[in-house]
Amino acid sequence: MACESCRSQTRALVRIVARAKVSKPSTTTIPSMMSALSHVRPSSSSSSSSSRIPSVRYFSDTASKQVLGGFGRSMTDSYRVIGASERLYKFCAKPADYRITAEARKNDQVERLEDGEEVGRPVDPGNVWHDAFKLQPTFSTWSHVTMLHLYLLNARVRCFERDAYRTWQQQLIDHFFFECEKKMHVDHNINSSALRQRYLKDIFVQWRGLLLAYDEGLIKGDAILASAVWRNLFKGSPDVDPRALAAIVGWMRSTLLSLEATSDANLPVRAEEIFEKPVEVFWTRLEGAFAEEGGAKAAAAAAAAQGEPVAATAGAS
């Protein structure tokens, strides 16, 4: 369909032709139409072809060109967002990624948890989510770790212009759900499209609830945020190490602070560097602090058993 500017120009030409037919029905030609439009851009003569060129060119400089140019720029920006968001999404999906091979399924070697969820093999066996935090390499773990990273990005792109934010948010979510359906089909052998769509709807509900839960935690404090992480990422398990929750909350706060300090223009590049900062940094700091505290307590207990002053021993440590 033609744009509003093109339709306006067409209507103007029709009116000019109609008036020309009323006045001189036998002599109306294209040159006379162009001369009738000479009030838009003056020309020296309407009889020569060279004098008509400016008028023709002028149509390419009107609002229609600006509209088309703006549309072209918006399309370019959309393609740029698709590429940049895909690169950032890959960073978000990488930390807890896993695989279930066709050979393992063929040989009936796929392990299952008590709730029936299939367990795969970590792509990075030494990652902190599977190794230190003791999360199983399952679809649930991967999806929630990925959504946690996507939430941090989503919190930053909210600061964009409204249209830019909607574009970025939609692209990031699209990449995630495309990957979810791919994993269901390839890794978990779910061939039914209807069944995959039902699972995707459940994941979307989880995503909406996750946004609200983490937003509440950011506003109300670290205890509420840790509770949201515990309910979503760890499924409310009573066996979770509290240090894992503290490390994740500290990493989330630090990442959000770094993302906030990044300009909108540099975000697609800087976000990759920010997400490369591992969660292990916060985990090892806690481990070191607990080790020092445990050593001090052990020294104090040994001193007490030997009848030495506890305060002096603790102070010396």
Side-chain angles (χ1 to χ4, degrees), residues 93-227:
K94 183 179 178 180
D97 201 3
Y98 70 101
R99 291 290 183 273
I100 298 178
T101 62
E103 182 179 359
R105 187 172 299 281
K106 180 179 179 180
N107 297 330
D108 198 20
Q109 297 176 347
V110 180
E111 181 184 354
R112 294 179 181 269
L113 300 177
E114 294 180 358
D115 58 359
E117 189 173 14
E118 295 180 335
V119 181
R121 298 288 182 182
V123 174
D124 179 14
N127 71 83
V128 65
W129 304 96
H130 296 146
D131 188 19
F133 297 157
K134 308 303 180 185
L135 291 168
Q136 294 290 340
T138 62
F139 181 90
S140 176
T141 296
W142 170 81
S143 62
H144 275 282
V145 172
T146 302
M147 285 192 287
L148 178 60
H149 286 73
L150 288 176
Y151 169 78
L152 300 177
L153 269 181
N154 185 75
R156 176 59 182 87
V157 299
R158 286 175 187 171
C159 302
F160 289 175
E161 296 285 342
R162 183 181 63 178
D163 292 340
Y165 162 64
R166 289 178 176 177
T167 302
W168 271 91
Q169 181 194 43
Q170 187 63 51
Q171 291 300 329
L172 290 170
I173 294 302
D174 284 348
H175 293 314
F176 171 59
F177 279 94
F178 288 152
E179 186 72 13
C180 285
E181 187 170 12
K182 178 181 176 182
K183 279 189 172 294
M184 291 178 191
H185 189 202
V186 175
D187 292 307
H188 297 277
N189 201 29
I190 301 177
N191 297 320
S192 171
S193 177
L195 185 58
R196 294 198 302 266
Q197 292 301 317
R198 191 179 73 181
Y199 289 151
L200 290 175
K201 289 180 181 179
D202 293 340
I203 296 172
F204 182 74
V205 173
Q206 294 177 15
W207 166 251
R208 301 298 294 179
L210 180 146
L211 290 175
L212 294 176
Y214 289 164
D215 281 346
E216 182 185 22
L218 290 179
I219 295 172
K220 294 185 177 180
D222 290 345
I224 303 299
L225 184 56
S227 176

